[in-house]
Amino acid sequence: MGLPFHKLKKLYILYLFLLVFAFFMFAISINLYVSSMQSNGGEGSHPKPPPKRRSLWPHKNIVAHYIGKGDIFGNMTSDDYNMNQFRPVETEGAYGRPVIIPPRDRFRMQRFFRLNSFNILASDRIPLNRTLKDYRTAECRDKKYGSGLPTASVIIVFHNEAWSVLLRTITSVINRSPRHLLKEIILVDDASDRTYLKRQLESYIRVLSVPTHLYRMKKRSGLVPARLMGAEHARGDVLTFLDAHCECSRGWLEPLLARIKESRNVVICPVIDIISDDNFSYTKTFEKHWGAFNWQLSFRWFSSERKRDTNVKDATQPTATPGMAGGLFAIDRKYFYEMGAYDSEMHVWGGENVEMSFRIWQCGGRIEISPCSHVGHVFRSTTPYTFPGGMIDVLTTNLARAATVWMDDWQYFVMLYTQGLSLHVRESVNVTERVALRKKLQCKPFSWYLENIWPEHFFPAPDRFFGKIIWLDGETECAQAYSRHMKNLPGRLLSREWKRAFEEVDSKAEEFTTLIDLERDKCLRPLKESAPRSSLQPVTVGDCTSHAQTMDLFVITPKGQIMTNDNICLTYHEPKQGMIKLLKNRNATTSNVMMTQCTNDSRQLWTYDMDTQQISHRDLKLCLTLKSATNSRSQKTEKVVLTMQCDFKDITQKWGLIPLPWRM
Ligand code: UD2
Ligand code: MN
């Protein structure tokens, strides 16, 4: 006999309720699992969430040394790795717009991010021939280049590039270059192992409207050997190198070719726009930027106005740049070889852009950026591929090669103040052939490069001070020795010349550096050690143990700029109304002295009084002073450096220069 109907109904409802409840619990736990995976980011075996969009351009370092993660494949399977998920949606990414990944694909998106260090799901939704805006100025659009331009071979090297990204690069070259100027496209595969880059790629390029050749490296070698292989096969008048994740915009090629036609010793770069690694949006960058290298020889963009540029009236004219980013440039094919092509002993990644920048300038050529040529590039914050030989070793060997051949006295500075580099690395490289090339081409010294091509540089120089700035609290041995020395100098009462101070401290360099107590002496440095160097940074004093990376090393020019690595200068920073009040109260970490980008204006000029050991602002005559202030947020008391009325008795206004060696 069965249960009565009403009991059955109750059981049925209970059963239904339990089912719904179980389903809810299941959904919640899945959700929790997914979000915990996402918040783990790069720590565990799951991909790191895509980095935030960069907003500080162009101060932001965008082509930096990579911090690769050893475990590249993580929990990805070989199917994941070889999968080509290109499924274009007609209007996605049109006019360079960002792609928004639907929430249901977010987890997958993050999982696949690490394969290429960019959001491949976004790229896979964008058609190969997506539209872009015209990023040129009106003057550039109107410019006519006439006939008789040289032809170009576009060379693209790649190692395990994503399908849609590589093919969009090729498509943009084909669609946005005048057919008669494009001799061919040359692809060099640096021993990739992804399956779609084998036969599938070969058949794809066979039917393109521009002759496209694919060569393969026998073994993984790096971008330099791959580009050299590409160049060997090229037949166009001009070699045009591109990374494998670029998009050429309208009119990109003509200005490059026209400049080489005008002058064959110019290596010409486009303006490099930003394709977001996160959503593949295309963002135009400021045209007037230029590039150079920091103390560790990492490439950096700068945007400060350059003297020589103000003379150029025509806004379509290319402007000189001391350094090139390395990936995107055009060069006359024969000139490329006359100038020594590349240092073929540079492997995998890095250093070749430094070497080429110095070599071209020092040996009689020029490097320029054309404001009329815009090419987008996907900037990534980590490298997705392996570094055979170890990243640090490969990179430092490449840099040591460049520095040893081209930097003369300055090579020692780079060796001494770059982590991983040392004189020992220098001994291990054989650069005989490159030194012979330098001799054959009768190249100029590095000092000439710094003085003439990059006069705004922030490296040490014979007429500059290099070392630490210590606070003379009067108690440490070093501080006492320093003050004693200064007090006994004839003519000190009158001397406000940096040059005189440099000479005096140089003559005592050894004594001061042996006396310095790295913990008890206090050195001038930024308040936060890890804050981005591009932002406004308050200044403080701290232990003198810190290394170059922490910015307690300064270069002072005879003019009175107090500079440090990455083009950062000690700056008088006009306080805003509210800030003045705070300064008076001294109850907040606010200061009128900041570290910020050097701009060569009077806010960054200081003088030194040898008699009182004060550093004062040249025009305002206010002295650098160490004060305690309470951080308004954390309520902690912090020591902050600011400028105040000078008082020769005030111990908080006394500073000493401790020189450090930088050459042999
Ligand atoms: C920048 C340059 C890059 C190169 C590098 C320094 C730009 C936009 N990019 O780094 O061209 O000068 O600085 O070395 O200026 N590749 C290989 N084999 C390898 C490693 C890389 O073929 O072993 C390819 C790679 O697929 C890419 C190109 O070389 O097409 C450049 O590599 P990247 O994109 O990782 O370098 P990037 O842009 O960070
Ligand atoms: Mn690149």
Side-chain angles (χ1 to χ4, degrees), residues 16 32 54 65 82 117 129 176 185 196 285 309 390 395 429 432 506 509 520 529 552 556 559 569:
L16 209 69
L32 275 176
R54 304 180 164 84
H65 289 176
N82 289 306
S117 296
N129 62 350
R176 301 206 181 88
I185 296 173
Y196 57 79
T285 56
D309 293 346
L395 194 59
V429 299
T432 328
D506 264 349
R520 286 191 57 227
E529 290 189 31
D552 72 346
I556 306 178
K559 241 173 71 189
C569 278

Side-chain angles (χ1 to χ4, degrees), residues 243 245 377-378 380:
D243 276 7
H245 32 260
H377 168 263
V378 186
R380 305 183 273 204

Side-chain angles (χ1 to χ4, degrees), residues 532-538 573 594-596:
R533 294 180 169 204
S534 50
S535 58
L536 279 178
Q537 272 288 326
H573 188 75
M594 296 281 164
M595 307 269 271
T596 184

Side-chain angles (χ1 to χ4, degrees), residues 370-405:
S370 166
C372 294
S373 172
H374 281 257
V375 179
H377 168 263
V378 186
F379 289 98
R380 305 183 273 204
S381 46
T382 55
T383 180
Y385 42 73
T386 56
F387 263 77
M391 187 176 55
I392 297 285
D393 284 354
V394 167
L395 194 59
T396 51
T397 306
N398 291 349
L399 291 176
R401 295 187 68 85
T404 312
V405 178

